[in-house]
Amino acid sequence: MIKGYQRMKDRKDLPILRVENLSVAYATRKGEVPAVRDVSFEVRRGETFGMVGESGCGKSTVAFSIVNFLGPNGRIKAGRIFFQGQDLVGRSERELRHLRGNRIAMVYQDPMQALNPSLRIGEQMAEVLIVHQGLKRAEAEERCIQMLERVYMPDPANVMRRYPHQLSGGQQQRVVIAMALLNDPALLIMDEPTTALDVTVEAAVLDLIAGLQEDFDTAILYISHNLGVIARVSDQVGVMYAGQLVERAPVTDLFLKPLHPYTQGLLRCVPRLGQDKLSSYLLPIRGQVPSPAALPSGCIFEPRCDFARPECRHGMPEYRQVADGHWVRCYFAEEVAGAGYQPPKELVAEMLATARKEREPVLRIERLKTYYEAPSPKLFDRRKRYVRAVDDVSLEAYKGLTLGIVGESGCGKSTLARTIIGLERPTDGKLEFMGFDIRKPVSKRDLEIIKNMQMVFQNPDSTLNPAFSVGRQIARPLELFKVVPKDQIRGEVIRLLELMKLGPNYYDRLPRQLSGGEKQRVGIARALAGRPELVLCDEPVSALDVSVQAAVLNLLLEIQHKLGTTLIFIAHDLSVVRFLSDYIAVMYLGKVMEFGTAEQIYAPPYHPYTEALLSAVPIPDPRAEQKHVRLEGTVPSALNPPAGCRFHTRCPRKLGPICEQEEPPWQDAGNGHRIYCHIPLEELRKVEPVITLHTDNAIKVR
Amino acid sequence: MTVREEAFPSAKPSFLERLRDSLLILWGSKTAMVGLTMVMFWIVVALLAPWVTKYSPTEQDWQAQNQGPSAQHWLGTDDAGRDIWSRLVYGARVILIQTPVTDKFSLPIGVAVWGVLLGLVVGSTLGLVGGYLGGWIDEIIMRLLDAMMAFPVILLYMIIIAAVGPSAINVVLAIAIVGTPGIARLVRSLTLDIRTREYIRAAEVRGEKLWYILFVEILPNASGPILIDAMLRLGYAIFAMGTLGFLGLGLPPPSPDWGSMVAKGRRFILAGSPWAALWPAVAIASLVVGLNLLADGLREETQRYR
């Protein structure tokens, strides 16, 4: 008996996957570029190994080298990959198939790429079992339904008959995960499986993944750029930077006692919920990730490290075990751990500068509606149908302050921005900017209004015209709005570049020579060139890495303090919005659900939707206590929104028929805090706060 | 935040560096290099026409009709005793280097090139306008161009030349008109993609005029595929010139025209002197194939490391 138990325990300790000194390189036109260098880690049975790092750090390359999907120009230069004790490197495709069998499964970011759009879910799932395990169809389908039940898919028998496009993104990802689990894999590799999903959906999928290793006893390699997600799902965490694993530790140690300067820096970059705007510093890591073609000769983090000493430039530090199970690649890890971090003085001053409190409306939106005409599904039906993207929204933006607009995809926040800026024509309602009516498209607006309202865009790769130099793109609005005389344009561009913390040597660069964060800063400089009163920011940091995101957010804050610009900040990330905004509007399906100051939104009374959103946000602190509120079902179509309260189909606090029949009233919770809900305020006030942070020995800024 | 200077070498690439980069791309592709060599051969020869041959293309030598290649006449002579090499070289000049307008006056750049350029200007404008504005304007433009594309190409050439008469300028017009719908379609599809980019939104939000958005914001970003397409089109245009010449609708005689040389020479193939028809046919083929190889090689090479 005891012997058997011992054997089981041994088996549990045997790593399913052991990667030793792995190095991978890609061939390019300019020669071979190292993508991964000397990476070692192991994943045990029933354990989730979270691998976190910024884009381009090589985390996906590690995953691809395990399954031998490196593509024609990638190859493993050195190192070994043991899967269940067998080395996978250097074997032929056939041997690999034999060794791996179907014991390694992979889940990717985009579920639509893993599912065949022309086959029903049932057919593609059953096929896995029929091909790999030789089951009969009926038996295979039975097993598939069981598996869908185990990933908490509602109504699995019905889902089996559907096509992938008939499922929502979260459901698709569940199907992919269920499919991956069908063969009972020993190792499940998940590469950013929730990155494309909305927060509330993401939360549900993360719950599922966290439950997987208990139910299935699988080893999971979980790859993500999001520290909050990693904190929620992982047992062990590895931090990758520029192709190397710089730190590896159990999850609580990593988040509470990070030893590598990079890990510490990363954690300081993330906005945390539950802290107020003025005390939640974001401290960006200076500089940028070195290009893989020009890596520093010593420690790869040395050029950006605050603790760097001359020794760091000579030779790469050893990857060594500092405490039990805590590995780090730094010469001075022990000292770094103890040293408190002192943020630069001017940064602190910038943060503490008090925001203006008087409320002078710059933009007034009243009962605004923007409908799109939708094609009729019937050939001979002449009745027009409308997508109600923005439906009866009333908001105000105050001078020098930030209005944050949050909501999941499809809630109409981007349409609202496009309507304000004049790219979309409002169907009904009032729209006033600096006292002028602006219900006309941008081409018909006065130059003065155009000049005073500019926009920052989401995607750093398409925000700049690739054909022109940075200087020219910033100079164009200066020229158009005649901000400065012609001969001073160059000087003004350089002044703007310096305001964005970019040197004058950026003037002649082309967009492709810039990193994502730099492109975004140039985009901000371009928007600010005309010295606008109001700048609309549509998800300006959602495509950026955390360290870069922090720098851009700080920059926006700094600029607002310096120039007194009014900002409208649109985002899906509640922690980012919290950090930047004075006022926040929460949108759902074209309507504003709650409006108030940032403090009011993040504390009770909550609108039930706000409550669900807050409880879904992944927090990069394994000890944070968060209420567990999960939304059922999917967002209804804006073509035919539910009657009464739009949120009633998914609301966990639904009262009854009144929510389905009557539009809720705007309840005033005091000081301009408005909640669009039937539930009496007294009741909403009784709700406990969603997030409780224990901040005793977390990294603090002194 | 301190910027480490040494991490950023001089930003603006000089002309030489850019030339080197483009040559590097060309050098990477065998196909493109072979194509470039063939095309450059004809360009150089046409440019240096007076120096690479001692004969005039119209000089007749009744002592030496329908001769094969020899030391005097490298490629032989035709039925009027004219030097075939000389006629080929001056024929290439008309295609690539200069367009004769009247006897005394001629424009720089050849007939085929002018035809493609004119087609590019008209086609790109239509494609940009249709693709960016969309709606009924796009619908009208595209349906009209569809109607033009419904005609077989050769028929369209013949109709146009028959209507306006054979001359260098009219051949230019014919090439431009026939090329326009294809170019417009290509540019429209590129525009449909580019107009969704955020930098176009930024331009709109800035209140830019329509022409600025079309020609300054969109066009430069579509230039790569347009350039490659233009090379292929130049090949088709040369082929079309050959066809028109063969049918007697090309440049009026006695100007050297590859197509009409083939037409004239083919009567003597069975009589034992195939040279007068063979050489111009080889010339057309080499130039067209060269352009095609160049375009294909460039396309492959630019897409390889995406």
Side-chain angles (χ1 to χ4, degrees):
Chain A
M1 215 34 213
I2 289 172
K3 253 188 181 166
Y5 172 74
Q6 194 62 40
R7 205 180 306 130
M8 250 180 71
K9 198 164 169 285
D10 285 347
R11 222 178 49 149
K12 178 120 184 150
D13 283 348
L14 179 81
I16 297 289
L17 177 76
R18 198 166 88 234
V19 174
E20 276 180 11
N21 308 90
L22 179 73
S23 294
V24 182
Y26 289 108
T28 68
R29 195 182 276 137
K30 288 184 179 138
E32 205 165 68
V33 172
V36 167
R37 292 194 304 165
D38 204 14
V39 164
S40 308
F41 63 92
E42 53 191 42
V43 192
R44 289 166 195 283
R45 176 174 292 275
E47 179 183 278
T48 304
F49 184 82
M51 194 176 258
V52 66
E54 300 179 270
S55 54
C57 71
K59 53 193 192 302
S60 289
T61 302
V62 170
F64 286 135
S65 50
I66 295 166
V67 287
N68 198 26
F69 281 171
L70 282 173
N73 60 341
R75 87 191 167 85
I76 295 176
K77 298 267 290 177
R80 302 202 287 176
I81 300 171
F82 291 99
F83 173 64
Q84 293 184 320
Q86 301 263 25
D87 193 356
L88 297 181
V89 175
R91 307 242 184 192
S92 73
E93 194 57 42
R94 257 186 70 189
E95 283 175 302
L96 277 179
R97 234 190 333 246
H98 180 70
L99 275 180
R100 286 198 304 244
N102 34 40
R103 307 282 290 148
I104 300 182
M106 198 151 171
V107 175
Y108 299 96
Q109 178 173 342
D110 183 3
M112 265 319 263
Q113 278 179 7
L115 297 173
N116 185 337
S118 60
L119 288 180
R120 290 173 200 276
I121 298 295
E123 290 170 50
Q124 29 192 323
M125 283 187 76
E127 194 185 70
V128 175
L129 291 171
I130 294 166
V131 171
H132 284 286
Q133 299 181 15
L135 294 188
K136 296 247 162 48
R137 177 159 289 274
E139 204 179 338
E141 281 182 2
E142 186 68 21
R143 285 268 299 275
C144 292
I145 292 177
Q146 282 167 11
M147 187 56 77
L148 284 175
E149 268 165 8
R150 290 178 78 175
V151 298
Y152 308 104
M153 177 75 90
D155 196 5
N158 183 12
V159 167
M160 294 281 284
R161 286 195 299 275
R162 299 213 204 161
Y163 288 100
H165 71 267
Q166 293 169 315
L167 303 179
S168 68
Q171 287 175 326
Q172 286 171 355
Q173 200 59 291
R174 267 165 216 252
V175 169
V176 174
I177 292 170
M179 245 162 112
L181 290 170
L182 275 176
N183 279 323
D184 190 22
L187 174 66
L188 184 58
I189 301 174
M190 304 185 124
D191 192 356
E192 307 257 10
T194 61
T195 306
L197 305 175
D198 272 320
V199 258
T200 55
V201 184
E202 174 180 74
V205 174
L206 290 180
D207 288 347
L208 165 67
I209 294 169
L212 283 183
Q213 79 249 59
E214 283 164 32
D215 296 358
F216 290 85
D217 206 24
T218 328
I220 299 178
L221 172 59
Y222 192 100
I223 295 170
S224 178
H225 69 282
N226 187 328
L227 287 158
V229 169
I230 290 286
R232 191 176 279 181
V233 297
S234 311
D235 301 312
Q236 297 277 326
V237 180
V239 180
M240 294 250 337
Y241 176 75
Q244 286 187 343
L245 203 57
V246 292
E247 183 164 4
R248 187 182 115 205
V251 65
T252 39
D253 287 356
L254 192 105
F255 280 93
L256 300 181
K257 285 180 280 175
L259 291 181
H260 197 280
Y262 175 65
T263 317
Q264 298 186 348
L266 265 188
L267 286 169
R268 282 195 300 265
C269 287
V270 219
R272 282 155 192 252
L273 275 178
Q275 298 172 347
D276 66 289
K277 174 174 177 172
L278 296 178
S279 69
S280 63
Y281 308 113
L282 292 188
L283 302 166
I285 305 174
R286 65 193 160 88
Q288 53 184 315
V289 182
S291 115
L295 291 172
S297 57
C299 168
I300 39 165
F301 191 59
E302 179 270 323
R304 303 175 73 188
C305 184
D306 291 320
F307 300 96
R309 300 174 194 183
E311 298 96 293
C312 295
R313 293 197 192 167
H314 308 295
M316 200 196 291
E318 291 272 308
Y319 185 52
R320 60 201 174 92
Q321 186 158 348
V322 178
D324 186 32
H326 199 141
W327 294 69
V328 63
R329 197 186 274 279
C330 175
Y331 286 123
F332 309 108
E334 290 86 350
E335 294 169 47
V336 169
Y341 177 76
Q342 207 69 35
K345 280 216 176 63
E346 68 274 12
L347 199 60
V348 176
E350 206 66 65
M351 303 280 178
L352 289 177
T354 39
R356 307 161 42 145
K357 283 297 172 199
E358 72 270 34
R359 308 193 325 185
E360 188 189 327
V362 173
L363 178 80
R364 207 191 290 269
I365 306 168
E366 254 173 66
R367 317 213 60 151
L368 187 79
K369 292 178 183 167
T370 307
Y371 291 179
Y372 297 108
E373 207 172 300
S376 172
K378 291 175 197 142
L379 193 56
F380 296 107
D381 192 350
R382 282 308 183 97
R383 273 172 300 168
K384 283 183 177 158
R385 308 195 313 155
Y386 295 98
V387 176
R388 302 173 183 203
V390 174
D391 203 2
D392 201 2
V393 164
S394 303
L395 286 174
E396 276 176 350
Y398 304 111
K399 192 175 172 59
L401 297 180
T402 305
L403 168 65
I405 300 176
V406 245
E408 296 179 279
S409 54
C411 73
K413 54 190 192 302
S414 286
T415 309
L416 181 61
R418 291 169 58 87
T419 312
I420 295 169
I421 202 89
L423 293 172
E424 228 49 83
R425 212 183 259 272
T427 314
D428 195 21
K430 267 194 198 160
L431 201 53
E432 251 176 44
F433 176 59
M434 296 164 74
F436 295 96
D437 180 20
I438 50 161
R439 275 177 303 175
K440 42 191 163 185
V442 67
S443 54
K444 301 224 169 67
R445 290 182 183 178
D446 293 342
L447 195 66
E448 195 57 24
I449 289 187
I450 291 176
K451 181 182 159 207
N452 271 306
M453 194 194 278
Q454 282 296 311
M455 190 157 175
V456 176
F457 298 89
Q458 173 176 12
N459 186 347
D461 292 327
S462 85
T463 188
L464 300 181
N465 191 328
F468 303 119
S469 71
V470 164
R472 195 177 153 181
Q473 305 202 43
I474 301 177
R476 179 65 193 171
L478 292 172
E479 201 177 294
L480 206 65
F481 301 139
K482 305 194 178 60
V483 183
V484 289
K486 264 216 157 78
D487 53 326
Q488 289 171 27
I489 286 182
R490 195 184 165 97
E492 177 72 9
V493 171
I494 287 170
R495 197 187 67 83
L496 280 163
L497 281 172
E498 272 161 2
L499 187 67
M500 295 303 129
K501 310 231 158 69
L502 299 170
N505 56 337
Y506 278 78
Y507 191 93
D508 286 322
R509 290 220 190 127
L510 287 172
R512 64 182 151 83
Q513 294 166 305
L514 306 184
S515 69
E518 288 169 339
K519 285 181 202 166
Q520 216 54 343
R521 286 185 215 190
V522 174
I524 295 172
R526 182 180 61 190
L528 289 173
R531 302 180 187 165
E533 184 61 49
L534 173 70
V535 175
L536 285 128
C537 306
D538 188 0
E539 305 252 13
V541 295
S542 64
L544 300 178
D545 279 319
V546 273
S547 73
V548 184
Q549 175 180 318
V552 173
L553 288 175
N554 278 341
L555 195 64
L556 280 171
L557 210 60
E558 191 184 325
I559 285 162
Q560 188 172 37
H561 287 160
K562 259 188 205 156
L563 311 178
T565 316
T566 313
L567 294 177
I568 294 186
F569 188 87
I570 294 166
H572 66 277
D573 186 332
L574 283 126
S575 26
V576 168
V577 172
R578 169 75 166 113
F579 169 70
L580 207 64
S581 306
D582 301 292
Y583 288 85
I584 293 175
V586 181
M587 280 186 79
Y588 180 78
L589 208 57
K591 278 196 191 279
V592 174
M593 292 284 138
E594 187 173 357
F595 177 81
T597 63
E599 289 75 23
Q600 290 165 343
I601 295 283
Y602 288 83
Y606 303 110
H607 187 281
Y609 178 61
T610 315
E611 190 186 0
L613 273 183
L614 284 173
S615 85
V617 184
I619 296 175
D621 183 344
R623 295 174 318 158
E625 279 171 33
Q626 217 169 350
K627 245 197 291 185
H628 191 90
V629 184
R630 295 291 179 259
L631 295 183
E632 294 287 317
T634 57
V635 184
S637 156
L639 258 175
N640 195 7
C645 172
R646 297 206 164 176
F647 188 52
H648 81 78
T649 52
R650 303 172 74 197
C651 183
R653 294 183 184 275
K654 190 175 146 186
L655 289 177
I658 184 173
C659 294
E660 291 167 24
Q661 287 151 12
E662 275 175 51
E663 286 231 357
W666 274 111
Q667 305 194 71
D668 193 342
N671 286 331
H673 185 198
R674 294 178 286 157
I675 299 178
Y676 189 65
C677 187
H678 284 295
I679 304 171
L681 274 178
E682 302 79 69
E683 207 133 309
L684 290 175
R685 276 191 224 278
K686 280 184 213 147
V687 174
E688 291 156 27
V690 175
I691 298 159
T692 326
L693 284 184
H694 301 272
T695 43
D696 43 334
N697 71 352
I699 353 158
K700 261 192 222 157
V701 178
R702 269 183 267 165
Chain B
M1 189 182 294
T2 49
V3 178
R4 289 162 69 95
E5 277 303 321
E6 70 268 36
F8 306 109
S10 77
K12 194 173 193 173
S14 70
F15 174 73
L16 274 178
E17 278 170 334
R18 271 162 52 196
L19 190 73
R20 192 199 57 200
D21 282 357
S22 355
L23 283 179
L24 212 68
I25 293 178
L26 269 176
W27 195 252
S29 160
K30 293 266 178 317
T31 323
M33 279 315 286
V34 171
L36 184 71
T37 316
M38 291 162 83
V39 175
M40 281 313 286
F41 170 78
W42 283 111
I43 292 177
V44 169
V45 156
L47 264 176
L48 305 178
W51 292 278
V52 296
T53 171
K54 53 187 173 183
Y55 299 99
S56 145
T58 50
E59 182 186 318
Q60 303 182 346
D61 181 358
W62 297 101
Q63 312 291 306
Q65 286 167 290
N66 280 332
Q67 282 183 354
S70 67
Q72 270 87 42
H73 301 283
W74 295 346
L75 300 182
T77 56
D78 67 2
D79 60 320
R82 291 175 295 198
D83 182 67
I84 295 178
W85 171 237
S86 159
R87 284 185 71 74
L88 285 185
V89 168
Y90 280 93
R93 209 176 159 83
V94 172
I95 293 171
L96 298 169
I97 304 299
Q98 69 180 152
T99 303
V101 181
T102 61
D103 289 342
K104 300 245 167 53
F105 175 72
S106 61
L107 287 168
I109 310 184
V111 173
V113 185
W114 271 117
V116 172
L117 284 180
L118 200 60
L120 273 178
V121 172
V122 180
S124 301
T125 311
L126 291 175
L128 283 168
V129 171
Y132 178 70
L133 292 179
W136 58 269
I137 295 178
D138 181 38
E139 206 63 32
I140 291 173
I141 294 175
M142 292 325 286
R143 292 301 81 76
L144 284 178
L145 293 177
D146 281 351
M148 268 173 76
M149 283 176 106
F151 288 93
V153 176
I154 295 292
L155 195 64
L156 202 55
Y157 276 121
M158 284 169 64
I159 294 171
I160 295 167
I161 296 295
V164 294
S167 80
I169 290 294
N170 290 343
V171 173
V172 168
L173 283 179
I175 291 171
I177 291 171
V178 171
T180 296
I183 295 170
R185 286 195 151 246
L186 173 76
V187 176
R188 176 178 176 269
S189 70
L190 292 166
T191 308
L192 283 179
D193 175 30
I194 293 171
R195 77 160 183 189
T196 62
R197 309 275 167 88
E198 285 169 353
Y199 55 85
I200 304 299
R201 295 293 87 67
E204 288 167 356
V205 163
R206 233 186 293 142
E208 296 284 5
K209 300 274 178 296
L210 177 66
W211 71 266
Y212 184 91
I213 293 178
L214 293 186
F215 293 101
V216 183
E217 295 281 345
I218 298 179
L219 190 60
N221 292 299
S223 60
I226 294 178
L227 200 73
I228 288 172
D229 179 68
M231 281 181 195
L232 289 173
R233 265 176 211 289
L234 192 59
Y236 302 149
I238 292 163
F239 207 75
M241 281 180 73
T243 313
L244 287 173
F246 186 84
L247 297 171
L249 296 169
L251 305 186
S255 52
D257 180 302
W258 292 359
S260 58
M261 283 167 76
V262 178
K264 268 202 182 149
R266 86 195 145 121
R267 276 178 283 151
F268 304 97
I269 294 174
L270 294 179
S273 36
W275 307 111
L278 179 68
W279 291 122
V282 168
I284 294 174
S286 68
L287 191 45
V288 174
V289 168
L291 281 163
N292 273 284
L293 290 179
L294 183 56
D296 281 353
L298 275 183
R299 184 165 44 204
E300 267 167 36
E301 197 57 24
T302 48
Q303 283 171 357
R304 176 173 298 176
Y305 291 103
R306 282 271 162 86

